[in-house]
Amino acid sequence: MAEKETTFHFKQFDIAQDRCAMKVGTDGVLLGAWAFSRTENPRSAATVRILDIGCGTGLIAIMLAQRFSADGCRQFHIDAVEIDHDAACQAVENAAATPWSAQIAVHPCSLRDFMADAPADALPYDFIVTNPPFYNATLKPDDAGRATARHKDALPLREIMQCAKSRLTADGTLAMIYPTDYDGEVMTEAVLAGLSPMRICNVLTKIGKPAKRRMLEIAHKAIGCETSTLALRDADGQYTAEYRKLTEPFYIRLA
């Protein structure tokens, strides 16, 4: 469900996307609404630190800013990393137009460069989120920006997992969304990085259909794993109550 208009309007913010290869879509909205929703946001004096890897338009970072602010987390900071220059510039503009502009910093660089440039005493992150590219390097689209946004060789899973391993707090969480076909690869890289699943949500486009997407939260020392299923539409093709409830704080309407 990709938005073809120049700007996608949400309840509390707008996402301009005319310079972004990958537009606002269901995957990003789902992850932005679902990630860390079972986690009690810290209310201490320390600032909650969040990293969005491959932020694109800035959608997920902005959604998390809205959620953390609404949940009463008064002090938080979000670093959003995006390798595509045009997308990063648009993410900067999108974030600047929100009530949370002072709390979102967009970094126009690769994750590798972002990690390399971090000072030795850089503070760890409480939460890391990513909607990574997941297509193989073959059969790339002609547009270079779209290819970078969609293909996993631009942002390897191993780099994401190693970032989580080294930059998450001891009880921090990495959240991501990916096609179920890539579950084996995702879990293998997680194990190699010493991370284990703590929460899984299988996403069905329609009740009765097999899951096409999986949302995952992993951590250093997960104790047990909660598994759930979310159907976007019911057997009659109408949006389910669960999907409406999850996305209600953001979507203006679901037709």
Side-chain angles (χ1 to χ4, degrees):
M1 187 178 67
E3 174 62 30
K4 295 182 180 180
E5 300 294 331
T6 301
T7 300
F8 200 114
H9 303 284
F10 291 89
K11 285 184 176 178
Q12 296 190 36
F13 58 87
D14 296 331
I15 296 293
Q17 52 186 354
D18 57 289
R19 285 176 285 150
C20 293
M22 296 303 292
K23 312 302 183 185
V24 171
T26 302
D27 285 6
V29 175
L30 278 173
L31 186 60
W34 179 86
F36 323 124
S37 57
R38 295 295 177 87
T39 304
E40 184 176 351
N41 296 338
R43 305 300 202 275
S44 65
T47 299
V48 177
R49 291 173 50 79
I50 305 165
L51 174 63
D52 180 2
I53 301 174
C55 72
T57 62
L59 170 66
I60 294 174
I62 294 170
M63 290 180 71
L64 290 177
Q66 176 185 320
R67 284 182 45 205
F68 273 67
S69 178
D71 287 348
C73 183
R74 292 184 294 275
Q75 298 187 72
F76 63 89
H77 175 79
I78 302 175
D79 284 316
V81 177
E82 174 53 53
I83 191 173
D84 182 80
H85 178 75
D86 287 341
C89 289
Q90 192 138 62
V92 169
E93 295 169 3
N94 286 333
T98 73
W100 315 285
S101 58
Q103 292 150 295
I104 302 174
V106 179
H107 304 268
C109 63
S110 67
L111 175 61
R112 187 174 302 174
D113 288 344
F114 178 77
M115 294 284 290
D117 292 342
D121 59 350
L123 294 173
Y125 291 98
D126 302 283
F127 304 104
I128 297 177
V129 64
T130 184
N131 177 13
F134 44 75
Y135 290 94
N136 288 318
T138 58
L139 301 178
K140 292 185 179 181
D142 292 335
D143 180 78
R146 187 169 176 82
T148 299
R150 294 190 67 181
H151 288 271
K152 62 182 183 179
D153 53 330
L155 182 57
L157 277 171
R158 184 160 298 180
E159 287 189 19
I160 295 172
M161 297 300 179
Q162 290 301 317
C163 173
K165 177 182 180 180
S166 63
R167 296 302 303 276
L168 274 175
T169 59
D171 57 352
T173 306
L174 165 67
M176 62 189 300
I177 186 170
Y178 56 91
T180 53
D181 290 347
Y182 286 83
D183 192 58
E185 183 177 348
V186 170
M187 291 302 181
T188 296
E189 293 297 341
V191 169
L192 290 174
L195 304 169
S196 55
M198 57 184 291
R199 189 169 167 235
I200 294 171
C201 180
N202 295 308
V203 180
L204 287 62
T205 56
K206 186 177 181 180
I207 290 177
K209 299 287 187 180
K212 295 294 187 181
R213 291 288 187 273
R214 181 160 291 146
M215 292 189 288
L216 170 70
E217 288 185 350
I218 55 179
H220 291 295
K221 298 178 181 178
I223 302 176
C225 181
E226 171 190 316
T227 303
S228 63
T229 299
L230 172 67
L232 306 188
R233 294 180 184 269
D234 61 24
D236 296 324
Q238 302 300 310
Y239 288 116
T240 63
E242 292 79 11
Y243 180 50
R244 289 180 181 276
K245 181 179 180 181
L246 181 66
T247 58
E248 189 275 335
F250 305 100
Y251 280 139
I252 295 174
R253 64 181 180 276
L254 274 175

